[in-house]
């Protein structure tokens, strides 16, 4: 899948977001090493704290389907400023996905592109246990 197809998949996933409280809908499309694309959207909860971001939904779906190696992830929100992954997602993406390419986009265009290692410098992970 090329970049624009992966961005389109994340935009499509965003439409399924359950964001009744924040109204801030996010979609993610995670590409595995073999080219499989697994999507996610944010899912909020009336207790707020149980909310899970689009990126973690995508990663947990992928892991539970048996995927283990990943190349990149697209994150889409309807904002002109880039929507980078939150700290919790950076940690989960790093631990299970390694140094992913992180592509940020909105409904019209790409808004940023980073290596996860640049977003999470000096990470804590299993190598330090
Ligand atoms: N959110 C994501 O799903 N991913 C991000 O990268 C940023 C934040 C969600 C969590 C919550 O449902 C809403 O956006 C507002 O924070």
């Amino acid at each position: 899948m090329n970049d624009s197809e992966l961005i389109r998949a994340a935009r499509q996933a965003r439409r399924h977001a359950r964001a009744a409280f924040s109204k801030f809908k996010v979609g993610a499309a995670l590409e595995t090493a073999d080219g499989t694309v697994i999507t996610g959207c944010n899912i909020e909860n009336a207790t707020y704290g149980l909310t899970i971001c689009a990126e973690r939904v995508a990663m947990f779906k992928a892991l539970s389907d048996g995927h283990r190696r990943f190349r990149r992830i697209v994150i889409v929100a309807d904002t002109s400023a880039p929507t980078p992954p939150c700290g919790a997602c950076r940690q989960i993406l790093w631990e299970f996905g390694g140094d992913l390419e992180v592509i940020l986009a909105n409904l019209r265009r790409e808004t940023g592109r980073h290596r996860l290692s640049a977003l999470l410098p000096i990470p804590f992970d299993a190598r330090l246990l």
Side-chain angles (χ1 to χ4, degrees), residues 16-27:
H16 301 302
R18 304 298 306 270
F21 306 101
S22 74
K23 315 285 187 210
F24 192 83
K25 296 182 174 187
V26 184

Side-chain angles (χ1 to χ4, degrees), residues 19 22 24 26 42-44 51-55 75 83-86:
S22 74
F24 192 83
V26 184
N42 54 327
I43 301 172
E44 298 184 350
T51 290
I52 179 164
C53 297
E55 299 91 318
I75 303 161
T83 297
C86 78

Side-chain angles (χ1 to χ4, degrees), residues 1-127:
M1 213 178 246
N2 64 32
D3 284 6
S4 42
E5 288 169 329
L6 201 59
I7 289 172
R8 203 172 311 132
R11 285 183 184 136
Q12 183 57 36
R14 179 184 167 276
R15 297 159 71 98
H16 301 302
R18 304 298 306 270
F21 306 101
S22 74
K23 315 285 187 210
F24 192 83
K25 296 182 174 187
V26 184
L30 176 66
E31 185 185 59
T32 70
D34 70 10
T36 305
V37 174
I38 288 122
T39 60
C41 62
N42 54 327
I43 301 172
E44 298 184 350
N45 183 274
T47 62
Y48 297 9
L50 294 180
T51 290
I52 179 164
C53 297
E55 299 91 318
R56 271 176 289 157
V57 170
M59 179 56 85
F60 292 154
K61 280 173 66 180
L63 293 170
S64 71
D65 281 348
H67 298 288
R68 291 294 179 265
R69 292 177 55 241
F70 305 94
R71 280 205 288 249
R72 52 200 183 132
I73 187 167
V74 172
I75 303 161
V76 164
D78 184 14
T79 54
S80 52
T83 297
C86 78
C89 287
R90 292 179 199 206
Q91 181 70 25
I92 293 294
L93 292 174
W94 176 262
E95 286 201 47
F96 294 106
D99 195 11
L100 293 173
E101 183 177 31
V102 179
I103 300 169
L104 310 177
N106 61 26
L107 302 189
R108 291 194 0 249
R109 60 183 176 84
E110 182 177 321
T111 54
R113 195 175 278 249
H114 309 272
R115 299 301 319 186
L116 187 57
S117 54
L119 299 179
L120 189 68
I122 321 178
F124 177 81
D125 60 33
R127 290 174 298 190

